[in-house]
Amino acid sequence: MTTAQICILTAIVVYMVIIIAIGVVYSKRNQNADDFYLGGRQLGPLVTAMSAEASDMSSWLLMGLPGVAYISGVADAAWTAIGLAIGTYLNWLFVAKRLRRYSVKAGNAITVPEFFKNRYRDKSNLLVGISAVIILVFFIPYTASGFAACGKLFSSLFGLPYMTAMIVSAFVIVFYTMLGGFLAASTTDLIQSIVMTIALVIVVAFGVHTAGGWSNVVDNANAVAGYLSLTKVGNVVTGEVGGYSLITIVSTLAWGLGYFGMPHILLRFMAIKDENKIPLSRRIATIWVVISMTVAIIIGIVGYAMTKAGEIEAFTTSSDAEKTVIAVAQLMSQHSIAFALIAGVILAGILACTMSTSDSQLLAASSSFSQNILVDVFGCKISERGKVVAARLTVIGIALISMFIARDSESSVFGIVSFAWAGFGASFGPVMLFSLFWRRTNRQGAIAGMLAGGVMVFVWKYLVRPMGGLLDIYELLPAFLVGCVVILLVSLLTEAPSEEILKEFDEVAAGK
């Protein structure tokens, strides 16, 4: 192992030790399921904001987004980022405070499925069961994408077998999540967001310098037709220029709709200590998201300029291009010991992206199984301490399944995240919005809309979208719209909610 590799490994190990230590410290605070899944609703505004966004961005921020920008230029990456920025702001503006208040009012719900169950007084547990299954179906591959990103990272850096690298990384994530629960995940997410920010800034600064300056970066980008356009796509590998129509722009902007249905983000809203601090959290979250995604896109463009300057090896596929930040860090590590340590921080930033999402996904998925399926659906009688034990065992089980899925080193992080994002956005997004803002929504409408949205994601992606033409749009948009229409129609065609449900809705709307 070279001196540079030792320095990088040292920085990463120190980072991992800190993260594990946080898990150990917070393990003593998990006395019941409420503590493990929601931190006792004690999150401050800064932790709420940064943990929500760090858990949102995942390895997609430092791998997926730069990879897309490197291969095809600005259009696809930029419109996706714009949609996500708008979605982030609107989610904080409309959903955060109402959900925090309503989840307490509706039986002090500690998971998203439990909120739906309590909101509609679903004694059959059908709604909570369907919600839990959807979370498991889409979160397991989502978590697998994070494990895969870690495997790619360590395999590229140290020449380790991909499977070995992926399993070791997954073990660390599982260990501190299993011990510390929600508070550990949220606290580490704050730290990870800081590390991610440092990584983004350093990579851009070093990359621009190495590529010969900003003017050279722009010149190389302009040399590829359509590369810097918002209405064209310029492929650096084939040289082909594709159009970016209005329907494609709308389809890509639809990424923002996904936020309304993301359980691991919605849980942060439910966990904040003071709902009056949500506007401060909203400002922090939105500013960080806009800046971080902008810098991530620039990294892709700078990475292409570095390949033209002969500083790093050119990439030919989107999957390979997701290693742009890794390549920049490896180049930096060759300059000196100090630069090698800095490179370690950058690579720890990739780990931070992955860990901050994977821990939250593991918690949300484990709560769906141990709390919503075992307790709510099957009626298992478990003590509070027993629920915590069941949750920890579930984290391990879900992680094992995710590792099995992540065994393919050629899988694209962007592709997996895209599909899982659509699944949650279409299944939960419409139901969440209607639950919070339309008093006439009933249990039948919520169930029908959830199923319709989730099923349409599969139908559109695998049956409709391959037809091409105007139908070649991101599956989240049509599935989300179908979910909304079904909720509206079924709710109007079936019995109205009870007076008890309507009264509770009105009290929440009035801020009581």
Side-chain angles (χ1 to χ4, degrees):
M1 185 175 289
T2 65
T3 301
Q5 288 177 320
I6 292 173
C7 291
I8 290 173
L9 184 60
T10 299
I12 292 175
V13 168
V14 169
Y15 170 75
M16 284 186 165
V17 168
I18 293 173
I19 297 302
I20 291 175
I22 291 173
V24 173
V25 170
Y26 279 106
S27 66
K28 300 176 182 178
R29 302 191 185 185
N30 293 313
Q31 301 302 314
N32 52 50
D34 190 7
D35 291 336
F36 191 83
Y37 292 134
L38 212 58
R41 300 186 195 267
Q42 294 297 310
L43 294 192
L46 177 62
V47 176
T48 302
M50 297 312 297
S51 66
E53 301 318 315
S55 64
D56 158 34
M57 287 293 113
S58 74
S59 52
W60 178 85
L61 179 65
L62 284 180
M63 294 184 74
L65 192 58
V68 171
Y70 176 100
I71 290 293
S72 58
V74 170
D76 209 23
W79 286 116
T80 300
I82 291 170
L84 290 174
I86 295 172
T88 296
Y89 180 78
L90 295 179
N91 203 26
W92 279 97
L93 181 64
F94 293 114
V95 175
K97 181 178 286 190
R98 184 69 69 95
L99 179 58
R100 170 63 172 81
R101 186 184 305 154
Y102 214 150
S103 62
V104 174
K105 191 79 172 177
N108 195 32
I110 62 174
T111 69
V112 172
E114 187 178 15
F115 166 68
F116 290 142
K117 171 190 172 182
N118 295 350
R119 160 71 172 84
Y120 296 105
R121 306 298 193 273
D122 181 25
K123 296 180 181 180
S124 70
N125 288 317
L126 183 60
L127 185 54
V128 72
I130 293 173
S131 302
V133 170
I134 289 174
I135 287 178
L136 290 173
V137 167
F138 288 111
F139 257 155
I140 288 177
Y142 208 150
T143 304
S145 73
F147 291 168
C150 288
K152 289 181 181 181
L153 171 63
F154 284 109
S155 179
S156 298
L157 285 177
F158 307 112
L160 296 173
Y162 168 79
M163 279 295 294
T164 301
M166 185 268 291
I167 291 172
V168 171
S169 304
F171 173 79
V172 173
I173 297 171
V174 170
F175 187 74
Y176 79 78
T177 303
M178 181 183 67
L179 285 179
F182 187 83
L183 283 175
S186 297
T187 304
T188 54
D189 285 351
L190 172 62
I191 295 173
Q192 288 156 354
S193 67
I194 296 172
V195 176
M196 289 155 64
T197 303
I198 294 172
L200 286 166
V201 172
I202 293 176
V203 168
V204 167
F206 179 79
V208 170
H209 173 74
T210 306
W214 180 249
S215 60
N216 200 41
V217 171
V218 175
D219 289 342
N220 277 287
N222 280 324
V224 180
Y227 198 73
L228 296 181
S229 172
L230 287 174
T231 57
K232 295 179 181 179
V233 177
N235 191 295
V236 300
V237 179
T238 64
E240 297 176 352
V241 181
Y244 214 79
S245 64
L246 179 60
I247 188 66
T248 305
I249 291 174
V250 173
S251 167
T252 309
L253 285 173
W255 271 77
L257 294 173
Y259 279 109
F260 300 123
M262 291 297 131
H264 55 302
I265 298 174
L266 298 172
L267 283 174
R268 265 63 183 184
F269 299 160
M270 295 166 63
I272 192 169
K273 183 176 182 179
D274 183 359
E275 69 175 49
N276 294 318
K277 299 293 184 181
I278 287 178
L280 173 59
S281 296
R282 180 178 71 240
R283 288 190 286 270
I284 295 172
T286 305
I287 291 171
W288 186 82
V289 163
V290 170
I291 293 175
S292 63
M293 288 194 297
T294 300
V295 175
I297 293 172
I298 293 174
I299 287 174
I301 299 171
V302 170
Y304 174 66
M306 292 177 70
T307 62
K308 299 301 290 184
E311 296 293 340
I312 61 176
E313 185 179 349
F315 302 112
T316 58
T317 66
S318 295
S319 180
D320 287 338
E322 290 176 350
K323 300 176 184 177
T324 299
V325 173
I326 298 175
V328 174
Q330 287 178 312
L331 177 64
M332 180 183 294
S333 70
Q334 298 171 11
H335 284 64
S336 66
I337 292 178
F339 272 106
L341 290 172
I342 294 173
V345 174
I346 294 171
L347 296 167
I350 296 178
L351 281 179
C353 288
T354 304
M355 289 179 169
S356 60
T357 302
S358 296
D359 57 20
S360 299
Q361 292 165 346
L362 283 170
L363 280 174
S366 68
S367 67
S368 295
F369 181 79
S370 59
Q371 179 71 25
N372 302 134
I373 293 180
L374 290 183
V375 177
D376 295 333
V377 176
F378 291 109
C380 298
K381 303 297 182 182
I382 308 175
S383 66
E384 288 300 321
R385 293 300 300 172
K387 289 179 181 178
V388 175
V389 172
R392 286 171 171 161
L393 292 175
T394 306
V395 166
I396 296 173
I398 291 171
L400 290 174
I401 298 172
S402 299
M403 282 188 276
F404 177 77
I405 295 174
R407 69 190 186 282
D408 180 11
S409 62
E410 298 302 317
S411 58
S412 168
V413 172
F414 189 91
I416 296 174
V417 170
S418 172
F419 181 67
W421 188 267
F424 281 123
S427 299
F428 288 156
V431 179
M432 180 59 69
L433 292 176
F434 276 84
S435 297
L436 296 176
F437 296 103
W438 192 39
R439 70 197 299 267
R440 181 61 176 79
T441 313
N442 61 17
R443 169 181 168 275
Q444 294 90 332
I447 292 174
M450 190 178 293
L451 289 173
V455 170
M456 183 54 66
V457 168
F458 287 92
V459 171
W460 197 274
K461 180 176 179 63
Y462 294 109
L463 298 179
V464 179
R465 192 171 184 180
M467 297 179 186
L470 294 177
L471 299 176
D472 184 21
I473 59 178
Y474 183 32
E475 55 269 17
L476 173 55
L477 180 57
F480 189 95
L481 294 176
V482 166
C484 289
V485 171
V486 169
I487 292 172
L488 181 66
L489 293 177
V490 173
S491 293
L492 290 175
L493 294 173
T494 52
E495 186 179 359
S498 66
E499 286 299 320
E500 179 187 6
I501 294 177
L502 294 177
K503 180 182 178 182
E504 182 178 82
F505 179 94
D506 293 336
E507 289 176 350
V508 171
K512 297 180 180 179

